[in-house]
Amino acid sequence: QLTHASMDKGGLLGGKFLFKKLPDGLLDKTRVRCTICKAEFKYHRSSSSLAYHLRAKHPTESTSTGPRQSTLQEYGARGRITKNVREKLTNSLVVWIAKNCRPVSIVEDDGLREVIRAASGDECYNLPSRGTIVSRLHTLYGDQRAQQCSKLVQVRNVALTGDHWTSVNNDNYLGVMAHFIDNDWTMQSFALTVSKTEERHYAEACADHFLNVANEWEIKDKVTTLGTDSARNMVPAARLLPFEHMPCMAHILQRTVTISLNDSAFERALAKCRKIVGHFKHSPANTQELKAQQAAHGHQTEPLVQDVPTRWNSTLEMIKRIQRNKSGLTTILTQQNSKVTMLTDQELDRLQKLEELLEPCRYVTELLGGERYVSCSMVLPALCHLFRIMEPSDDDPVYVLRFKKVFTTDLAQRRDSSNLTWLKIATALDPRFKDLKCLSKDERREVWASVHDLLMAETDAHQPSAQTTEEPSPKKSKMSISLLGSPDSDTEEEEDAIDCCLNLYKAEPKIDIGECPLQWWLKREGAHARLAPIARKYLSTPATTVPCERLFSLSGHIIQKKRASLSSDNVNRIVCLSNWLSMDCLTLKNLRYSIGYNETPGIFSIQFNFIYIAPNHNKVASRRLCICVLG
């Protein structure tokens, strides 16, 4: 609508139309004339027909009719989140809840709603309901599970690790993880299940649980090894299964350390350390005094650590922190005139020697606990290194000699009870350790004979079976039969081919300790086509069950006191989703190593410099990870 106030100098629509002049000089407000084509129109206080004339006859001269009042629907939609954006936001919330183990009830949080409203500018936005989130979680779990199943379909061999865990609600859960090397020679590892178990953990029940998981994921015929701890129920359970048993080497090593410390000359000093740690941990005032002393001496502010029998390397960490803060502890305990006394110089000297003995054990435990690189082939070189460290020396005191003797005796017994055959073959197929210097000469010959038998079995398995439906071949003359030779000639030729294959692999130069064996096999798979499937099978087995321990640490963040009523199915979905989604966060593009000596003699530190690209991001970043391997 156009009013008299919208007229501009007696004209309409920006002067495009002028009122008609009467003979007496006045303006006729009922008639207007187009200034472009001189056409005349009637005017009744509306410029709609005039605007239509401009658009139809003079489109280049068309102009806007001015601001228009918004409709009610347009006003309500202004600043609102669109349907597509709302859908993406809901899916992002589902992924965030699953990946970071957030409670589903977080969608009822008023603070989260206000944050999204402020970020989106939509003051009317409401979070999705709990039912919507739970339904989306189930859908996401199904999609992700299908992706993991597709990975398992593409491989021939899968190694399993499993362990039991008790939640804060006193429920038993079984965690199982799968490990394999894919066709690109990349180590893959992800959770299969964290399922609740109702039965008592007898050997038969444990065996049935593992078998049910393998059947559920349809990998029973692909499973090669089952890694567990050396509990009394797990060892016989593994014997009931058609898989090779791989005892956790980290559990074995830490159990040896615990036995060596019992009734040793270090026990009195360790008991004194526990009293000192308890004195400061149970008193906030004492803790503040310790922090003040650390600041005064220029030390890093850190709490003392109490050792726990089930927490690996906690005894070593307790000793190291007391050694670093001995000056501050001495000052505080002297000023307080407390019943708790500081360690004497002799006891501190003993703890220093114990630290030197336990430090290599910590290095080996952390080295073998990885799940993103080959660890099974490093077990025997690592144990050989520890045996060398624990060899008696002329400068060792009596209590150190006693500790080394108990340590080596117990570790040797546990080593012999492990799956030595598998470990030896894995070591031989690792181009870093294929010289087998950690074994005797007789053992080396046995290992290569075992590899030879594996090659023969691999060749026989891939030979095509004879077709019974084929037409019988014509009879051959005696001369042709004699020229063909005996049937054993094919076997001899096969033996020669396998020997040539082994000799070719042995002739390859040993790679540096810091290089990746999987990258080596990726580049030389064509040259060692027969040996590559066996290497992929044996190198995929992890040396420890530490991946399952990490899975239970994740489960502990989910099953809390405030979330103890979670159903076991939802626990399984959330834990597995968090593991699967976190696994896809980093895509390693480049992996390089650099080697340097560590303070401990005989141990090298490997520094991993890798470049990764996060999904849905274009940003490339580099990170550094340091672990230790053996010289």
Side-chain angles (χ1 to χ4, degrees), residues 240-519:
L240 298 175
L241 294 171
F243 319 134
E244 292 277 351
H245 183 223
M246 183 62 62
C248 175
M249 298 309 301
H251 281 88
I252 288 176
L253 182 55
Q254 294 301 318
R255 185 58 185 163
T256 298
V257 171
T258 302
I259 290 177
S260 302
L261 289 175
N262 292 338
D263 298 329
S264 65
F266 302 105
E267 188 59 34
R268 183 176 178 180
L270 292 175
K272 210 168 180 179
C273 289
R274 297 184 187 105
K275 288 184 179 181
I276 294 173
V277 174
H279 178 74
F280 286 90
K281 273 194 167 294
H282 299 154
S283 172
N286 293 339
T287 302
Q288 292 299 323
E289 290 186 26
L290 178 59
K291 290 181 180 179
Q293 286 293 329
Q294 290 172 341
H297 289 83
H299 296 162
Q300 180 184 358
T301 302
E302 58 180 359
L304 299 180
V305 174
Q306 187 70 276
D307 68 333
V308 181
T310 56
R311 185 171 298 167
W312 300 342
N313 303 316
S314 59
T315 301
L316 174 62
E317 191 62 28
M318 178 182 68
I319 295 172
K320 293 171 72 173
R321 297 207 180 188
I322 287 181
Q323 291 275 19
R324 287 198 295 263
N325 297 279
K326 58 184 177 182
S327 57
L329 294 174
T330 302
T331 303
I332 296 173
L333 293 176
T334 303
Q335 292 176 353
Q336 292 181 350
N337 196 18
S338 172
K339 293 182 180 180
V340 178
T341 58
M342 185 55 186
L343 296 161
T344 63
D345 292 340
Q346 183 180 4
E347 290 170 336
L348 289 172
D349 182 63
R350 288 195 175 190
L351 290 180
Q352 180 63 35
K353 293 186 179 298
L354 180 59
E355 180 182 345
E356 295 174 358
L357 294 171
L358 296 181
E359 193 69 28
C361 300
R362 180 183 71 85
Y363 284 143
V364 172
T365 302
E366 294 179 356
L367 171 68
L368 300 181
E371 58 182 302
R372 295 298 181 188
Y373 53 86
V374 176
S375 59
C376 185
S377 60
M378 293 189 287
V379 171
L380 295 182
L383 296 183
C384 181
H385 170 76
L386 289 179
F387 282 124
R388 289 200 301 267
I389 290 291
M390 297 298 172
E391 289 179 356
S393 174
D394 296 337
D395 299 331
D396 290 338
V398 177
Y399 58 87
V400 173
L401 292 174
R402 180 183 176 185
F403 177 91
K404 288 183 174 181
K405 182 179 179 181
V406 175
F407 183 93
T408 53
T409 302
D410 185 81
L411 186 59
Q413 293 175 354
R414 297 178 186 274
R415 173 185 178 273
D416 295 338
S417 62
S418 64
N419 197 336
L420 275 179
T421 302
W422 192 279
L423 295 175
K424 289 177 181 178
I425 294 176
T427 306
L429 296 177
D430 191 327
R432 298 172 298 177
F433 310 111
K434 66 188 184 72
D435 54 3
L436 299 178
K437 289 187 177 180
C438 57
L439 302 177
S440 63
K441 292 184 178 181
D442 293 337
E443 289 177 314
R444 296 175 195 174
R445 285 192 290 268
E446 293 176 0
V447 171
W448 292 119
S450 300
V451 176
H452 182 278
D453 295 340
L454 289 173
L455 282 171
M456 284 292 297
E458 183 77 13
T459 303
D460 295 340
H462 284 78
Q463 283 182 350
S465 58
Q467 299 293 334
T468 58
T469 58
E470 291 181 356
E471 297 181 359
S473 57
K475 293 183 178 180
K476 299 179 180 180
S477 62
K478 293 182 179 180
M479 181 176 295
S480 62
I481 294 176
S482 62
L483 291 175
L484 288 174
S486 64
D488 295 337
S489 60
D490 293 338
T491 304
E492 293 176 358
E493 291 178 0
E494 193 62 36
E495 289 276 355
D496 294 339
I498 290 176
D499 291 338
C500 180
C501 176
L502 273 180
N503 293 332
L504 180 64
Y505 173 70
K506 292 180 183 179
E508 291 274 6
K510 189 182 73 169
I511 65 175
D512 192 79
I513 192 71
E515 296 184 36
C516 179
L518 298 183
Q519 292 295 318

Side-chain angles (χ1 to χ4, degrees), residues 512-529:
D512 192 79
I513 192 71
E515 296 184 36
C516 179
L518 298 183
Q519 292 295 318
W520 187 92
W521 276 106
L522 176 63
K523 298 176 181 178
R524 293 168 175 79
E525 182 178 9
H528 306 283

Side-chain angles (χ1 to χ4, degrees), residues 355 359 363 596-603 605:
E355 180 182 345
E359 193 69 28
Y363 284 143
Y597 281 101
N598 196 278
E599 294 178 357
T600 303
I603 293 186
S605 65

